[in-house]
Amino acid sequence: GLSDGASETYVSSHFIIGIDGTIIQCVPMSEVAYASNDRNRDTVSIECCHEEESGRFSKETYASLVRLTAWLSDTYMIRTEDIIRHYDVTGKACPKYFVDYEDKWKGFLLDVEKNRE
């Protein structure tokens, strides 16, 4: 957990994708990751590293995100229209780039759909 001195906040994510596209699983799929709030129990969380202030992902990070999301969608029978952003749950600008650029979010969903089995 992270501590600010006054109170402790515990955050976790099922997956983290690095700048170079490396995917690390941090929480087993059978366990809840505490990434958002009221949707923790029925969602899979993916955190992506980025270097740009805009929040835009590197090509490698983006490619891994597409592949991982497509695989998760196929494995857990998740419809593409049920793939959501942190923003869609909490209103937090996350992932920032996909909130600021709605067309990029729609393009991502199309890329996921193309990569499904």
Side-chain angles (χ1 to χ4, degrees):
L2 303 174
S3 177
D4 63 6
S7 64
E8 288 195 20
T9 303
Y10 292 94
V11 293
S12 56
S13 181
H14 288 100
F15 296 94
I16 297 174
I17 303 176
I19 302 290
D20 66 354
T22 300
I23 299 169
I24 298 172
Q25 184 170 357
C26 303
V27 176
M29 294 298 291
S30 59
E31 294 182 16
V32 173
Y34 295 94
S36 66
N37 53 19
D38 58 345
R39 294 298 305 272
N40 288 329
R41 296 214 174 273
D42 70 346
T43 56
V44 176
S45 55
I46 305 169
E47 289 288 338
C48 296
C49 298
H50 61 84
E51 294 179 308
E52 293 193 20
E53 200 172 316
S54 69
R56 186 169 67 93
F57 304 132
S58 69
K59 289 183 178 112
E60 296 83 359
T61 302
Y62 183 82
S64 290
L65 178 61
V66 168
R67 283 195 321 273
L68 176 60
T69 305
W71 177 82
L72 287 166
S73 298
D74 288 338
T75 302
Y76 294 97
M77 295 174 285
I78 300 165
R79 297 176 312 165
T80 303
E81 56 265 28
D82 290 331
I83 299 169
I84 59 174
R85 302 165 291 186
H86 193 166
Y87 171 77
D88 300 314
V89 178
T90 65
K92 178 182 178 184
C94 180
K96 180 177 174 14
Y97 192 71
F98 286 158
V99 173
D100 291 347
Y101 301 96
E102 190 74 26
D103 59 322
K104 299 296 184 185
W105 170 244
K106 290 177 180 162
F108 166 72
L109 294 176
L110 288 173
D111 287 343
V112 168
E113 191 61 39
K114 286 186 235 169
N115 282 273
R116 294 190 68 165
E117 296 284 321

